[in-house]
């Protein structure tokens, strides 16, 4: 399968329901090689990727689920996002609309159904049933610019996956259990966990198969400058 960059951007989504069909290792390596073409500051390439399949993925998922159920959430290694009640506008409203669209509209889970929301959230730790789970880390040594580099790599990987007919989901939820990840993976001491990544073939028959999020128009975030002012 081949696709244009535009098609990849338009069809990329955070897939939260996968088929179990395996993805060949050679294909995963090809996608990672493409993602590694991403720009990075001074070509530092500060990222590392841990790829889990089969028994290794099952063992990590079991440990993550155990830590989640036992309330062993860890403090973030870096300031990833505000506390739930501290989001300022307009981000608070966008976040609320996202939650309503996912839980209420797509999954049919009402706001008061705490158990239902928790059951869906737990699926993060099995990578939403994807056959491939990845953990992206980045060195702290190049400072915060390394997080920009990691974001570029992540986007490159997600777009490359679409070109291969695959889907992905970037999972910040794994950051909360970085001690578990470090027990299973050889994460260097100077690295922080950026996110998990689920990779595989989308289960289009799942009720989440039709779920899509909206985007702000260009006029809402872009300012065009064509003359000198002041």
């Amino acid at each position: 399968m081949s696709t244009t960059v535009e098609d990849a951007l338009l069809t990329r989504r955070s897939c939260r329901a996968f088929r179990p069909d395996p993805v060949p290792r050679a294909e995963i390596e090809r996608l990672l090689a493409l993602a590694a073409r991403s720009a990075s500051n001074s070509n530092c390439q500060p990222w590392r990727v841990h790829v889990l399949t089969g028994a290794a993925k099952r063992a990590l998922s079991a440990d993550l689920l155990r830590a989640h159920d036992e309330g062993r959430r860890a403090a973030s290694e870096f300031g990833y996002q505000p506390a739930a009640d501290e989001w300022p506008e307009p981000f608070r409203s966008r976040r609320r609309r996202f939650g309503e669209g996912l839980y209420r509209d797509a999954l049919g889970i009402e706001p008061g159904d705490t158990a239902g929301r928790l059951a869906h959230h737990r699926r993060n730790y099995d990578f939403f049933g994807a056959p491939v789970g990845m953990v992206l880390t980045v060195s702290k040594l190049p400072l915060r610019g390394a997080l920009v580099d990691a974001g570029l790599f992540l986007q490159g990987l997600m777009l490359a996956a679409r070109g291969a007919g695959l889907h992905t989901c970037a999972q910040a939820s794994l950051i909360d259990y970085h001690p578990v990840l470090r027990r299973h993976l050889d994460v260097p001491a100077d690295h922080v966990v950026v996110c998990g990544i689920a990779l595989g073939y989308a289960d289009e028959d799942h009720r989440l198969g039709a779920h899509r999020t909206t985007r702000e128009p260009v006029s809402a975030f872009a300012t065009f400058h064509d003359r000198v002012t002041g």
Side-chain angles (χ1 to χ4, degrees), residues 86-97:
E86 294 179 357
W87 285 76
E89 293 294 351
F91 315 113
R92 177 189 294 268
S93 294
R94 292 174 186 170
R95 188 169 185 261
R96 183 180 65 250
R97 288 195 297 270

Side-chain angles (χ1 to χ4, degrees), residues 25-36:
R25 175 167 175 165
E27 181 68 343
I28 299 170
E29 291 181 353
R30 188 182 73 85
L31 298 178
L32 290 172
L34 288 171

Side-chain angles (χ1 to χ4, degrees), residues 22 54 64 71 87 96 99 128 131 180 185 215 217 227:
L64 288 169
W87 285 76
R96 183 180 65 250
F128 296 109
V180 177
L185 311 172
R215 293 296 185 271
R227 64 185 64 183

